[in-house]
Amino acid sequence: MNKQFDERITHALTDDHLHHAVNIATDRLRTKKAQALTKIDFAQWSERGREIREHVISNLDYYLTQLASEVRRRGGHVYFCADTTDAVEAIQGVIQSHHATKVIKSKSMVTEELHLNDALEQMGVEVVETDLGEYIIQLAHETPSHIIAPAIHKGREQIADLFSQVANRKIASDTPSLNDYAHEVLRQKFIEAEIGITGCNFGIAETGTVCLFTNEGNGRMVTTLPPVHIAVMGMERVLPTLADLEVFMNILPRSATGQQLTSYVSLVTGPRAHDELDGAKEFHLIILDNQRSQSLGDPDFQEVLQCIRCGACLNVCPVYRQIGGHAYGSVYSGPIGAVLTPLLRDDPESAELPYASSLCGACYEACPVKIPLHDMLVKLRARNVSRGFTPPAERLAFQIYKKTFASPKNYRLAVRSLRSVQKWLMKNGEFHSSIPILSSWSKTRSLDGLSPLTFRERFAKGLVIDQITEKLPHVARKE
Amino acid sequence: MQVSLFITCLVDTMFPEVAESLVHLLQRQGIQVDVPMGQTCCGQPAFNSGYFEEAREVAKTWLTAFADSEYIVTPSGSCAAMVIHDYPILFKGDHKQLDRIKKLTQRTYEWTQFFVDVLKVEDIGAKAHISATYHPSCHGMRLLGVTDSPYRLMRHVEGLQLVDLPFAELCCGFGGTFAVKMPHISTAMATEKVVHIAETSAQLLLGLDMGCLMNIAGRMKHMNTHIPTMHLAQFLDRASSDLPILDNREGVNIK
């Protein structure tokens, strides 16, 4: 494992604050989700959602073309950006053309992919996040640690400390006080902003509409108050029609936060028309590829593009529960991050993320659009093996494994050999904690030795007798 | 009815008593039990680590060993899931093997599902005056849908007081090679599992997968938490014979 990954994991595992905050928050989200699912036939909605997403991804070129032409027809501008540099340049271009210096944002994971805030600050633009969670981590100079709850790793006290420090006065740690402070600061920012930047939960191809789900109403403010609105979307976030949106209005909030409906669902269709009273006068849509198209047509990984970023897989993941989001070292954390990151950022460091899973399958079970994350994690490991990314000692170990277990004769021989030497490897009836291959296990867990006879040996020798029926086993079938 | 036992490598080498109990339970239902001696391992360690070529070689020994079996029954949901869920992924595109797999997996069962769904037996006449909690193992639960069958068997045990395990669905952190590859995270997961088990104050932990039980028991010992762990097959075998559920050396003798 690379050193930074190991250090991040160790750091997370020893951070009690993080552990406590993540456990409480994910437990709450999970419980609320379970409650929200009982009120509708969720399985049916979810299956419909999966079908729509699968259909869109299989016909993505068609729907993207339709989306772009509908946006343009209504006077909006569309930019297809191959990578993060293209996207940042397109956004910077819009800002420069307005000589703007004040930008407000509504939460967007895809702009995290662009490191957009850094890029804009470097050109002298003030960027303010308006989602409370995102605002908190912006003040703390951190990155989101959860797809829908970016500051999930912080407790209320930590947030109060952070606000007090920035405000230079004592802010109490109760929710109303924290909210009041954020309101006070952000209200002025909304009024002054020249550009609003948002993400895009779904782009509706039929109407050229950008759809945003928010709980604080900040999305509505960011899209309507400043004269210019830039929406940034991953190229896969398309739905064919407004009617399809109904399905995701049912699925997304329930899966994400256990809400039956998000507090605000904003639909933005092009810039303000002549007869309209509010909304941005200019609308720009940035559509980002950034390696997403690499997964198109790949039978092993295409389904990952069905993701609707609800974060349900994070909330049930026992690994995420222990280490939180930052340990993953990437924009997207948890099981979806462990699958998506190596696909978006094809480097040896990201290639390690799929090992941060016990393959328990909780993510697959929780996914409302049934992405087989569990299988994809294994396939990404297989990709590492075929590319030679795995350590030589591991490759050797599996060669030995194959030789031993592909032959019943070799298997019996190996068991007998290990049994005859194991007494040298054991102390007080368990394996010594200093044996190289076993030490990572036996440092924290005891491990018993092999049985004096294997089950199959006992069975073949007729030793497996039932005391009740006094029955002997019937057949030991030959090889 | 003839049943071939698919005994996982872990049970074969380290926990033969679990397989013996399963033989007893099946025989008491009047079933002919055979053990194909050509079996070794299902290939899961290599598959889960991404070594597909190595896993395929080992999987082929499994397919050969069970080629003639009428029913294939195993005391591990994880290994059954490997065969039923993962072999089709492993041999994708290899139609000859896929045909073999299809024929065999239709006859392959995790043992509690075999009892409840095939044999239609839920009450095996077991008695045990003990309190126990149950850890549902991930692969059996999620990849095979082993959710109801163990409870049906346990509910019919006279005297058994079944205590709910908080956060039961959380993985214990074993994950095969995961426990070795990510030992710190795995240990943290096992620790949390042990804490939840201790919260139940149950006298015994039951489960369906020796990998998970070995991980949990191994962690318990290091944490000085002494709650015996037992495979459900072994528990039911003991509870339906005159054997004490727990040995005296465990400090608890129930009968």
Side-chain angles (χ1 to χ4, degrees):
Chain A
M1 200 194 307
N2 90 60
K3 210 166 143 243
Q4 284 90 358
F5 191 23
D6 195 32
E7 278 171 5
R8 287 196 304 267
I9 289 172
T10 311
H11 180 260
L13 286 172
T14 49
D15 185 342
D16 289 341
H17 280 302
L18 174 134
H19 210 227
H20 187 68
V22 169
N23 278 6
I24 288 184
T26 53
D27 288 347
R28 198 189 62 228
L29 291 171
R30 208 166 40 189
T31 312
K32 278 181 69 188
K33 179 188 168 188
Q35 287 163 352
L37 299 198
T38 58
K39 296 184 178 133
I40 58 167
D41 186 349
F42 189 75
Q44 221 172 46
W45 283 103
S46 162
E47 175 53 22
R48 183 74 192 121
R50 191 199 61 76
E51 282 169 6
I52 295 168
R53 291 299 295 151
E54 191 180 77
H55 169 78
V56 169
I57 300 306
S58 308
N59 300 280
L60 193 56
D61 53 344
Y62 175 83
Y63 288 114
L64 275 174
T65 308
Q66 190 186 14
L67 174 69
S69 70
E70 288 303 316
V71 170
R72 286 181 181 131
R73 199 162 71 79
R74 288 168 169 79
H77 305 272
V78 180
Y79 310 76
F80 281 100
C81 301
D83 56 28
T84 56
T85 312
D86 282 358
V88 169
E89 280 174 8
I91 296 166
Q92 285 177 327
V94 175
I95 294 173
Q96 272 161 353
S97 72
H98 289 274
H99 307 288
T101 55
K102 290 179 190 303
V103 169
I104 49 169
K105 285 180 71 195
S106 176
K107 182 175 168 291
S108 157
M109 288 303 284
V110 74
T111 59
E112 297 289 339
E113 239 177 286
L114 307 178
H115 302 292
L116 183 62
N117 292 5
D118 286 347
L120 298 189
E121 277 160 13
Q122 271 168 27
M123 61 184 280
V125 171
E126 183 200 45
V127 187
V128 181
E129 294 287 349
T130 61
D131 171 274
L132 184 56
E134 199 79 22
Y135 178 61
I136 290 163
I137 60 161
Q138 187 182 26
L139 291 183
H141 306 289
E142 291 178 14
T143 53
S145 69
H146 190 287
I147 288 175
I148 57 150
I152 198 169
H153 58 292
K154 288 203 181 298
R156 204 193 296 270
E157 293 296 331
Q158 285 172 293
I159 297 166
D161 287 348
L162 185 66
F163 281 3
S164 303
Q165 211 181 341
V166 177
N168 216 3
R169 64 184 156 91
K170 178 79 189 155
I171 312 280
S173 64
D174 57 295
T175 305
S177 303
L178 294 174
N179 268 336
D180 285 349
Y181 174 72
H183 266 162
E184 180 190 314
V185 177
L186 293 176
R187 189 158 299 166
Q188 197 55 33
K189 301 293 178 191
F190 280 122
I191 294 166
E192 289 169 3
E194 301 154 277
I195 310 264
I197 298 179
T198 69
C200 166
N201 285 92
F202 299 106
I204 313 291
E206 176 191 38
T207 54
T209 302
V210 164
C211 174
L212 297 167
F213 290 65
T214 66
N215 270 319
E216 298 160 26
N218 58 313
R220 194 176 55 161
M221 309 273 268
V222 172
T223 53
T224 50
L225 278 174
V228 180
H229 172 205
I230 305 172
V232 191
M233 66 182 277
M235 67 185 281
E236 79 283 17
R237 305 300 293 274
V238 190
L239 295 180
T241 67
L242 272 176
D244 296 320
L245 185 61
E246 183 198 3
V247 177
F248 295 92
M249 285 169 74
N250 270 295
I251 294 175
L252 181 63
R254 280 187 170 84
S255 303
T257 48
Q259 288 170 289
Q260 299 188 53
L261 187 62
T262 313
S263 307
Y264 297 87
V265 178
S266 309
L267 299 172
V268 180
T269 309
R272 180 198 298 192
H274 295 301
D275 55 347
E276 286 173 343
L277 294 175
D278 56 12
K281 288 178 184 149
E282 242 182 74
F283 175 68
H284 302 264
L285 179 62
I286 312 286
I287 300 174
L288 179 69
D289 180 341
N290 196 25
Q291 299 293 317
R292 285 165 171 77
S293 53
Q294 290 292 318
S295 299
L296 278 177
D298 183 332
D300 287 337
F301 301 113
Q302 175 165 303
E303 283 166 286
V304 81
L305 298 175
Q306 289 169 209
C307 177
I308 58 170
R309 305 287 192 270
C310 67
C313 58
L314 279 65
N315 299 336
V316 297
C317 177
V319 171
Y320 181 88
R321 182 181 175 85
Q322 300 298 336
I323 64 175
H326 287 150
Y328 291 80
S330 53
V331 173
Y332 304 101
S333 55
I336 184 66
V339 170
L340 197 56
T341 308
L343 293 170
L344 298 185
R345 215 177 64 189
D346 195 358
D347 56 53
E349 198 187 326
S350 310
E352 286 197 325
L353 292 174
Y355 298 102
S357 166
S358 64
L359 303 177
C360 75
C363 48
Y364 172 48
E365 185 181 57
C367 178
V369 289
K370 291 281 162 276
I371 301 171
L373 290 165
H374 166 272
D375 296 334
M376 287 179 175
L377 288 163
V378 174
K379 286 172 182 170
L380 283 165
R381 295 176 187 186
R383 199 171 78 155
N384 290 342
V385 172
S386 63
R387 290 174 169 193
F389 280 3
T390 54
E394 187 183 293
R395 291 204 294 272
L396 179 67
F398 280 106
Q399 278 304 310
I400 296 170
Y401 167 83
K402 180 181 82 176
K403 291 236 165 13
T404 308
F405 287 89
S407 146
K409 201 173 118 195
N410 289 351
Y411 168 72
R412 284 194 292 271
L413 199 67
V415 172
R416 278 203 291 271
S417 319
L418 184 58
R419 216 158 44 197
S420 62
V421 299
Q422 73 170 344
K423 62 173 179 255
W424 310 108
L425 307 173
M426 297 181 84
K427 196 180 159 188
N428 302 330
E430 55 184 77
F431 277 103
H432 225 281
S433 59
S434 58
I435 302 162
I437 305 168
L438 289 174
S439 67
S440 56
W441 169 283
S442 51
K443 256 184 222 158
T444 58
R445 282 161 293 208
S446 61
L447 185 62
D448 296 339
L450 301 185
S451 218
L453 284 176
T454 65
F455 166 72
R456 295 201 265 281
E457 286 163 342
R458 289 179 58 78
F459 195 90
K461 286 174 194 277
L463 296 172
V464 183
I465 305 167
D466 186 0
Q467 293 186 356
I468 309 294
T469 58
E470 291 182 5
K471 261 192 193 165
L472 284 164
H474 295 271
V475 219
R477 261 174 43 199
K478 293 288 169 214
E479 280 164 40
Chain B
M1 185 186 281
Q2 179 85 25
V3 162
S4 298
L5 285 186
F6 161 23
I7 297 305
T8 74
C9 47
L10 194 66
V11 168
D12 188 41
T13 57
M14 292 181 75
F15 307 100
E17 62 278 7
V18 172
E20 295 193 18
S21 287
L22 186 54
V23 173
H24 300 159
L25 293 177
L26 288 165
Q27 284 188 337
R28 287 176 210 159
Q29 298 301 323
I31 287 166
Q32 298 251 342
V33 177
D34 72 83
V35 178
M37 290 293 159
Q39 60 178 307
T40 57
C41 168
C42 59
Q44 189 174 180
F47 176 78
N48 281 358
S49 303
Y51 289 81
F52 282 15
E53 189 209 319
E54 289 77 2
R56 273 191 285 269
E57 289 308 307
V58 176
K60 281 180 198 163
T61 61
W62 190 94
L63 292 167
T64 306
F66 289 95
D68 305 324
S69 299
E70 186 185 343
Y71 284 103
I72 302 157
V73 173
T74 181
S76 160
S78 186
C79 303
M82 175 67 200
V83 171
I84 294 167
H85 180 85
D86 296 330
Y87 277 11
I89 296 174
L90 192 58
F91 288 99
K92 194 178 173 188
D94 183 342
H95 296 291
K96 192 182 132 212
Q97 296 295 348
L98 285 176
D99 284 347
R100 277 175 95 189
I101 290 163
K102 202 174 166 192
K103 276 180 207 137
L104 286 182
T105 53
Q106 281 167 349
R107 316 197 289 254
T108 303
Y109 291 90
E110 187 278 331
W111 74 280
T112 62
Q113 285 191 324
F114 182 73
F115 267 71
V116 172
D117 297 342
V118 181
L119 299 180
K120 313 279 182 206
V121 170
E122 296 179 13
D123 186 350
I124 62 154
K127 277 183 216 167
H129 293 282
I130 191 168
S131 65
T133 192
Y134 167 74
H135 167 67
S137 288
C138 304
H139 284 179
M141 174 171 60
R142 301 207 175 92
L143 300 181
L144 294 179
V146 179
T147 47
D148 206 25
S149 49
Y151 284 101
R152 283 173 183 265
L153 291 167
M154 287 187 287
R155 274 201 294 268
H156 282 93
V157 178
E158 195 186 315
L160 175 64
Q161 190 202 338
L162 203 57
V163 191
D164 281 342
L165 176 62
F167 297 92
E169 76 293 345
L170 278 180
C171 173
C172 71
F174 178 52
T177 49
F178 170 75
V180 178
K181 195 134 184 156
M182 299 270 164
H184 305 308
I185 305 176
S186 168
T187 301
M189 287 158 71
T191 303
E192 186 178 355
K193 183 56 75 179
V194 171
V195 169
H196 291 314
I197 293 164
E199 276 170 29
T200 66
S201 302
Q203 291 167 286
L204 178 66
L205 173 72
L206 293 172
L208 289 175
D209 220 300
M210 286 319 294
C212 315
L213 291 179
M214 179 178 80
N215 181 51
I216 295 169
R219 186 68 194 132
M220 274 184 183
K221 206 164 167 188
H222 266 241
M223 291 169 70
N224 274 323
T225 304
H226 301 288
I227 300 161
T229 59
M230 195 176 281
H231 193 279
L232 185 59
Q234 203 185 354
F235 171 76
L236 290 181
D237 177 25
R238 288 180 174 217
S240 55
S241 63
D242 283 335
L243 292 168
I245 303 297
L246 301 171
D247 296 336
N248 283 324
R249 63 184 155 83
E250 303 281 5
V252 197
N253 198 354
I254 318 304
K255 291 203 170 177

